[in-house]
Amino acid sequence: MTTVSNVAAARIPRHLQFTYLSHGQRVLRYYKKACRNYEANAGTLLDAKMSRIELRAKIDANKDEKDYVKAAKMLEEAEADMLTKWIFPKKNFSPGGTCYGRYIYFPDYIVDAWHGLEKAQYPKYFATREIRKLEYILWWQKKYGMGEGAEETVTQETTQKEAAQ
């Protein structure tokens, strides 16, 4: 059985249909938006938590307001105030999103821990890697000098000997 209201609702496209929110729902949505804004733009988690506590205290102070017109006016003022203070979020709120954690950081020093048989599969790569590591040590010693208690200095000759092997 179809009624007039169902037929009218069926003819209006879904994206143009409007649902009325109760005052409580509007307060909850305002609270959530304001909390997200504080969370995204606070310097530390403690600052964000403190801001949320203050906001909750403001809302709780007016929760028993009997005059609906006054309560609606306070909510509209709070929403307008939030929009004037709105800052584009700096924080990504979708840590489980499609691109989150897609690329794994693979530190360079992990390759040094490979077993000799694994390194034997890529002899050219590891030969040039050892040369580059020794060149980096030479560059470091040239730029910053030897550290205290250093016994041996890597020289160009030892680099060439390592490359020949």
Side-chain angles (χ1 to χ4, degrees):
M1 181 170 125
T2 60
T3 61
V4 176
S5 62
N6 288 344
V7 172
R11 290 184 187 157
I12 299 173
R14 187 73 178 141
H15 67 282
L16 296 177
Q17 291 180 9
F18 182 77
T19 57
Y20 291 98
L21 299 174
S22 69
H23 179 76
Q25 290 172 327
R26 285 182 60 200
V27 170
L28 289 175
R29 288 187 181 188
Y30 161 72
Y31 178 74
K32 186 173 182 177
K33 285 180 186 177
C35 285
R36 288 288 187 172
N37 190 27
Y38 291 143
E39 196 176 310
N41 298 299
T44 63
L45 290 174
L46 187 61
D47 292 339
K49 184 153 182 122
M50 195 64 201
S51 299
R52 287 192 306 254
I53 290 170
E54 291 170 357
L55 176 66
R56 182 62 188 252
K58 287 178 189 175
I59 291 174
D60 285 342
N62 298 314
K63 71 177 181 180
D64 295 326
E65 181 63 44
K66 301 295 182 195
D67 186 12
Y68 177 74
V69 176
K70 185 177 178 185
K73 185 177 179 185
M74 284 191 298
L75 178 61
E76 287 174 6
E77 289 173 359
E79 288 173 339
D81 185 45
M82 184 192 64
L83 288 177
T84 60
K85 295 179 181 176
W86 184 260
I87 302 170
F88 188 75
K90 300 174 190 170
K91 183 178 177 183
N92 178 13
F93 285 110
S94 59
T98 57
C99 291
Y100 184 80
R102 178 176 286 183
Y103 303 107
I104 300 170
Y105 172 67
F106 187 69
D108 189 54
Y109 64 85
I110 298 291
V111 180
D112 292 331
W114 282 18
H115 189 271
L117 293 175
E118 291 175 315
K119 290 181 180 181
Q121 294 176 356
Y122 309 99
K124 189 175 178 182
Y125 170 77
F126 282 100
T128 54
R129 178 178 168 77
E130 292 300 320
I131 292 169
R132 299 288 182 259
K133 283 172 35 180
L134 292 173
E135 287 174 351
Y136 181 76
I137 292 170
L138 285 172
W139 170 81
W140 179 270
Q141 289 173 352
K142 182 179 175 184
K143 185 169 183 175
Y144 299 108
M146 291 295 298
E148 293 181 23
E151 298 174 6
E152 183 181 327
T153 304
V154 177
T155 62
Q156 193 71 25
E157 294 150 5
T158 57
T159 308
Q160 292 172 357
K161 287 179 187 175
E162 291 286 331
Q165 293 177 358

